[in-house]
Amino acid sequence: MEGEVTSSSAGGSIPAGPRWNPTKEQISMLENWYKQGIRTPTADQIQQITARLQAYGHIEGKNVFYWFQNHKARQRQKQKQESLAFFTRCFHKHPNSPPVFPPPPPPNGWYIYASVSFIVLGSISGAHIIQHKANSGSILPTTQRCFSKVASRRNQNQIHQWRCYKVQTANNNGRQETLSLFPLGPTGVLQTRASSSSSPTSLVSTSAVIPTADLSSSSSGINGDHRQPYFDFFSGTGY
Amino acid sequence: MEGEVTSSSAGGSIPAGPRWNPTKEQISMLENWYKQGIRTPTADQIQQITARLQAYGHIEGKNVFYWFQNHKARQRQKQKQESLAFFTRCFHKHPNSPPVFPPPPPPNGWYIYASVSFIVLGSISGAHIIQHKANSGSILPTTQRCFSKVASRRNQNQIHQWRCYKVQTANNNGRQETLSLFPLGPTGVLQTRASSSSSPTSLVSTSAVIPTADLSSSSSGINGDHRQPYFDFFSGTGY
DNA sequence: TCCGTATGAATGAACG
DNA sequence: CGTTCATTCATACGGA
């Protein structure tokens, strides 16, 4: 009853076009709207948009719906990858390339390199915090990272969030203190609905946030010229 | 402490079965039940259903639960889109195709083109009413339709409903009286539970209804060629 | 012609 | 219950 979509079989009259194939103009306009901040258009918006796009070729509401759905999701996932790659790079000893972070001027204490990720155009997602123990003059790739996925209690395996742990290195006993979750607030860019993102326990402001722009840009030119600043949450200084 | 749940740390992985992948038979049977009128099965029903479906493959109660939830929701949403599209189309100036409604032979007054939509397979949804100002001309089915979008207060921009206003025509001054909301009743097809849809004040019969069939068909085939100018219901302008 | 990637479509699973 | 997210399936497309 429902899956008429593929009705290939007998007909032959192509009841339902195989699949929408957006024209250049349509994509262009869609991206435009997306840039304007539209993420999950309401039924009306979908109609409006659909109507406008029909001027450039056949298109239905569902196409618009799916487009935004997919675009947002993929944007998000791309972002995730980028930031992940970013961090990976940060804490990876690249044989040939210099560390992303400047050779930390570390005395002896904890340094926290924090960077926000997933600031997906106005909606929060989360932040990552990575920690490193400074040892002597340089960062140890012997990372003391501390990521830990945390499944929300509600249902079996719900959404995960990253929890950061403080990890002792050198002279410690392996004890770890939990650092609070570190979520972000919306960037406010055309953000209509304040991102729901459950209010976390202790919320660290986004003050020290490294804007998405930097992250994303870093993705392409990461290695070259970009120097990502870091921010020390404790001392309140960065560089 | 808590993150352990999903990650079975030690041994194998298989944190949580990937996700239920319904077999053809299961889907078929579920759709069948759905067609029988089942929408939100009770705990018992879910068990019964689950039990039966287990004969065709692994399945849990929650799967059944989710299935109905999703199916119903998507059915409804699809319907919404279609009808919305329908109306949008109605008031679109089709370059090549005649308007759905007879060429508004507008005199000067308000014309109301009313049509019910969402008769979704036995469940109500609402009615649409569209409004047009007549300028000069002849008539239309004496009807004076008038549309007015009504966004439910619940959430910012949730579902909208159309409110119908009684509109004077010919010898009127353009005055309008509000007509009560115009919801529909279930078509009665295997309808188990009278559609919840808030009990409206005065219920107008579906007499003038345009069958769902028409609506859906319109989505793909209504206009041979596609090219539809956009119409802004609010500003009253299109392009 | 085969393959990898981009992306349209669908849908299970949840969230608020 | 409506909305949103994460995955997955399927197909269009471009390069080799």
Side-chain angles (χ1 to χ4, degrees), chain A residues 195-232:
Chain A
S195 171
S196 40
S197 190
S198 58
S199 52
T201 17
S202 70
L203 178 88
V204 180
S205 85
T206 58
S207 55
V209 170
I210 292 172
T212 298
D214 290 336
L215 281 176
S216 51
S217 68
S218 73
S219 69
S220 57
I222 233 179
N223 36 13
D225 20 65
H226 272 52
R227 283 263 179 123
Q228 305 288 341
Y230 77 90
F231 184 90
D232 186 329

Side-chain angles (χ1 to χ4, degrees), chain A residues 83-228:
Chain A
S83 62
L84 215 162
F86 172 75
F87 288 116
T88 296
R89 188 178 295 268
C90 288
F91 299 96
H92 245 10
K93 251 284 171 255
H94 260 204
N96 310 327
S97 61
V100 174
F101 291 121
N108 47 2
W110 292 92
Y111 284 79
I112 300 183
Y113 298 90
S115 181
V116 176
S117 57
F118 314 358
I119 305 194
V120 203
L121 295 158
S123 72
I124 309 173
S125 281
H128 282 184
I129 298 190
I130 302 184
Q131 160 186 333
H132 259 263
K133 175 70 170 9
N135 229 348
S136 52
S138 56
I139 293 184
L140 274 200
T142 55
T143 33
Q144 267 57 12
R145 304 154 195 161
C146 38
F147 285 139
S148 147
K149 255 185 168 180
V150 178
S152 77
R153 209 65 335 226
R154 285 189 41 134
N155 269 312
Q156 285 122 315
N157 47 10
Q158 290 303 64
I159 287 179
H160 305 278
Q161 291 186 297
W162 292 93
R163 192 173 283 270
C164 176
Y165 295 93
K166 196 187 250 174
V167 181
Q168 297 265 352
T169 355
N171 57 2
N172 95 336
N173 307 315
R175 234 179 28 161
Q176 302 182 351
E177 298 174 18
T178 302
L179 228 170
S180 58
L181 200 49
F182 188 53
L184 288 175
T187 55
V189 180
L190 285 164
Q191 191 60 16
T192 310
R193 38 205 302 166
S195 171
S196 40
S197 190
S198 58
S199 52
T201 17
S202 70
L203 178 88
V204 180
S205 85
T206 58
S207 55
V209 170
I210 292 172
T212 298
D214 290 336
L215 281 176
S216 51
S217 68
S218 73
S219 69
S220 57
I222 233 179
N223 36 13
D225 20 65
H226 272 52
R227 283 263 179 123
Q228 305 288 341

